[in-house]
Amino acid sequence: MKTIILKHRFLYLFIILGLSISFNSCSSDDDDEPTPQAFLEKYDGTKWVNTDEFTFYIRLNDNPNKLIESWILFDDCYFYDVDFESEGVEIIENSKDELVIKYTDDGEIITVTLTMQGETLKVVVKEENEENIIYFDKTSENVDGLLICPV
């Protein structure tokens, strides 16, 4: 009889020990995988240059009031502009791989799509009957130090 009670106690002890170890070692699957960064979060503050026809710098910002800053070389100074800073701007998609911006200006709708192709930033600008594709290379140029044209 004592042997049966002793066996039951060991059985209960091992069950309790096994359950406590398994509960403590479990973790949520959500904690294991980091949340993928949105396009603007990932490329916030990055600077890009296109030199096909003229020198054209842009900087992406994770700031809805200052999404894209641009510097365009004009003679020996740069024209500075903050693109998409009006009320007619809507971010359609800001996923891990793509940023889509819809801009309405005087009734005209312009859609700008930014994606990465390797180390190159591809920008597709769609207007009513026209589509332009511009490729930008990453740069470390100090765009804040560029000479701005007087207004």
Side-chain angles (χ1 to χ4, degrees):
M1 180 82 163
K2 283 187 176 184
T3 347
I4 294 175
I5 293 173
L6 192 57
K7 286 181 184 177
H8 286 295
R9 284 187 181 168
F10 277 117
L11 179 62
Y12 291 133
L13 178 65
F14 283 115
I15 290 174
I16 291 171
L17 182 62
L19 287 174
S20 65
I21 289 173
S22 66
F23 283 134
N24 288 332
S25 65
C26 287
S27 66
S28 172
D29 290 340
D30 295 337
D31 295 338
D32 294 341
E33 297 178 23
T35 306
Q37 284 184 305
F39 196 89
L40 283 173
E41 291 173 343
K42 186 173 183 180
Y43 297 105
D44 181 38
T46 56
K47 297 167 283 193
W48 305 86
V49 64
N50 174 287
T51 55
D52 290 343
E53 294 179 33
F54 46 87
T55 303
F56 181 24
Y57 292 101
I58 63 172
R59 176 169 47 200
L60 304 178
N61 298 300
D62 189 12
N63 178 344
N65 298 322
K66 203 178 212 182
L67 287 175
I68 301 173
E69 295 173 277
S70 63
W71 294 261
I72 301 171
L73 183 60
F74 184 75
D75 290 332
D76 44 348
C77 61
Y78 287 85
F79 175 72
Y80 171 77
D81 191 23
V82 177
D83 299 327
F84 312 114
E85 69 170 346
S86 74
E87 294 176 10
V89 175
E90 180 183 355
I91 296 176
I92 303 298
E93 181 178 344
N94 184 15
S95 65
K96 180 180 96 150
D97 300 318
E98 184 174 65
L99 174 65
V100 180
I101 303 166
K102 184 172 114 180
Y103 178 69
T104 306
D105 185 28
D106 292 331
E108 184 178 2
I109 297 172
I110 301 167
T111 304
V112 179
T113 304
L114 292 83
T115 55
M116 290 301 299
Q117 293 194 335
E119 294 295 314
T120 303
L121 177 67
K122 178 182 177 184
V123 179
V124 179
V125 181
K126 289 184 184 178
E127 297 180 45
E128 280 185 29
N129 299 323
E130 190 177 340
E131 179 177 290
N132 293 309
I133 300 174
I134 307 167
Y135 293 95
F136 289 89
D137 296 316
K138 197 167 191 178
T139 182
S140 60
E141 179 72 34
N142 178 12
V143 292
D144 293 318
L146 297 173
L147 177 63
I148 305 300
C149 297
V151 181

